[in-house]
Structure formats: C-alpha cells, structure tokens
Amino acid sequence: MAGWLTFEQMQQGIDNLREAELARPLELIARGRNYEVRGEFPLPKEEKKRGTPQRLDFLLVNHSHRVAIAVETKYKKKGKRMAGSIGSDARRLSELTVDTIETQIASGAAKPFSKPVSGYALLRAIIVVWHQSDIMEQLRVEPDTVKRQYLGLVSALLPEGAEANSRNFAAAMLGKLATRPVAKKAGALRPGSTYTYKRFWVACLIELPSWATIQPS
C-alpha cells in the first residue's frame, strides 16, 4: 500500500485521497497473493436495530492456508475527523467470529464466497492511512488501547538511540528523521513518499486482546 501511494503521488501529485480509493490496490494485492476478496462484506442485521446492516470493509479468504482476514480501512483527511474511529472498528472486529462469516456464506449473502470457512483461523486488522503527522489529531480522541498500539509502532520506527518522545515522533512523520521499517506482532508501519510531495503513512494494526475491552463510544 505504501508503494502504491508513492506511485500515485509521483504520477498525479496527489496530497489527499478518498477512503474509497484504497479499496482497489488492496483488492489487487490480495488477489495476487491467492486470496478471495469481498469488499463491503455484509454482517447479519442485529435484532431490534434499525437501519442498514453493518458491513465489513474487506474479507479476504485463503482456502489453501485455511485463513480468513477481516480488514477495516481508515483514511485521515487533513483537518477532518475520521468517519467513526479506529477504536470503534477495533471493538467491532474483536466481536466478529468465523461462525458469523460461515452463516453469511451459507445463506448466499456473501457472494462470490461459496466455500465454507468453518475451522479457519480468523485474523483481524485495521489499515490506517494518513498524511504527514495528521494522525496525531485523531489519536487525541482514540481509546488508550489504540494510542499505545500506535505509539509502540512509531517507537520501533525511530532510529537507534532516538528517544521516544513527541518531538521525534513528529520529526519522523514529517520526514525530518531517518526511520526504520516496522513489522511486529502488533502491526506494521511504512512511509509512502517522494522527494517532491509530503509523505503518506500506512499503519496496519493487528488485533490485540485488549481490543475486546474497548468501550462503545
């Protein structure tokens, strides 16, 4: 995703996106790695709840590895709060089960998925994209669980010997401090940047047990 953002900047000079634009590269990357993909995966409607049933941004299934991956995507626009929050998505993902996915497939509501996923491992993740240090504004309203997970990724991003403080975090986000690629159990963090335009950042937050403790907003 970081590579795709860099490419888009270089060919079009973009400095802002719509969240919907992240769907196409994610789908292509997943299919290239032998995953079946369904965007806007429908979830069962909750009893006594009005309105359209909730949907999952993406469900990826690899039958060879017997794994399903539930993904929510978030894009932080400059000067605007996200629609929803990272914390609310984390809480919702933590409640999703393989049985729920299996029920939707069996009912025919999950086309093009048709093969059963009973017994598959279920991974949950949130992909967050932002511009420069814009994510800091969003973090102010996020639960402590999300803040700690994000700061853990950024701390690993800093060069050896750099103190994990707000000044160095901002310098790293703005491209003023050397950074290291981050890939750990709690997630991954990568810049997408060019020499002529302000950089994008892509974080993948992987489910932690603490997601289930996040209180509904």
Side-chain angles (χ1 to χ4, degrees), residues 185-203:
K185 189 174 182 180
L189 181 61
R190 294 285 192 280
S193 61
T194 71
Y195 290 107
T196 53
Y197 293 97
K198 301 169 185 177
R199 67 172 55 181
F200 284 98
W201 286 88
V202 183

Side-chain angles (χ1 to χ4, degrees), residues 62-90:
N62 188 305
H63 294 287
S64 298
H65 295 292
R66 293 177 60 82
V67 62
I69 306 177
V71 178
E72 290 287 352
T73 58
K74 309 292 290 183
Y75 176 61
K76 171 65 175 68
K77 289 185 177 180
K78 188 173 182 61
K80 294 184 179 181
R81 290 266 294 272
M82 289 178 175
S85 70
I86 300 171
S88 61
D89 280 357

Side-chain angles (χ1 to χ4, degrees), residues 41-212:
F41 184 85
L43 299 175
K45 187 171 183 178
E46 298 179 30
E47 292 185 16
K48 300 180 180 179
K49 193 167 184 178
R50 296 180 179 179
T52 304
Q54 290 187 322
R55 293 176 178 269
L56 179 68
D57 283 347
F58 278 96
L59 182 68
L60 319 176
V61 176
N62 188 305
H63 294 287
S64 298
H65 295 292
R66 293 177 60 82
V67 62
I69 306 177
V71 178
E72 290 287 352
T73 58
K74 309 292 290 183
Y75 176 61
K76 171 65 175 68
K77 289 185 177 180
K78 188 173 182 61
K80 294 184 179 181
R81 290 266 294 272
M82 289 178 175
S85 70
I86 300 171
S88 61
D89 280 357
R91 170 75 189 210
R92 189 159 63 96
L93 282 174
S94 73
E95 296 173 342
L96 182 67
T97 67
V98 171
D99 287 344
T100 298
I101 296 170
E102 179 68 15
T103 297
Q104 293 298 86
I105 292 174
S107 71
K111 294 179 180 179
F113 293 133
S114 59
K115 297 180 181 178
V117 296
S118 181
Y120 283 26
L122 176 59
L123 307 180
R124 306 166 180 87
I126 303 173
I127 294 176
V128 188
V129 176
W130 68 92
H131 211 215
Q132 292 190 292
S133 58
D134 289 346
I135 193 65
M136 302 308 294
E137 180 184 17
Q138 182 67 29
L139 287 175
R140 295 189 187 102
V141 299
E142 293 291 345
D144 289 342
T145 290
V146 171
K147 292 177 184 176
R148 287 193 297 267
Q149 188 171 3
Y150 167 78
L151 292 176
L153 296 180
V154 178
S155 296
L157 178 85
L158 298 177
E160 188 173 353
E163 184 180 350
N165 56 40
S166 58
R167 181 178 179 181
N168 284 337
F169 291 162
M173 294 293 104
L174 295 172
K176 297 179 180 179
L177 188 66
T179 58
R180 298 181 291 182
V182 178
K184 51 194 297 187
K185 189 174 182 180
L189 181 61
R190 294 285 192 280
S193 61
T194 71
Y195 290 107
T196 53
Y197 293 97
K198 301 169 185 177
R199 67 172 55 181
F200 284 98
W201 286 88
V202 183
C204 178
L205 305 180
I206 298 173
E207 183 193 16
L208 298 176
S210 56
W211 284 13

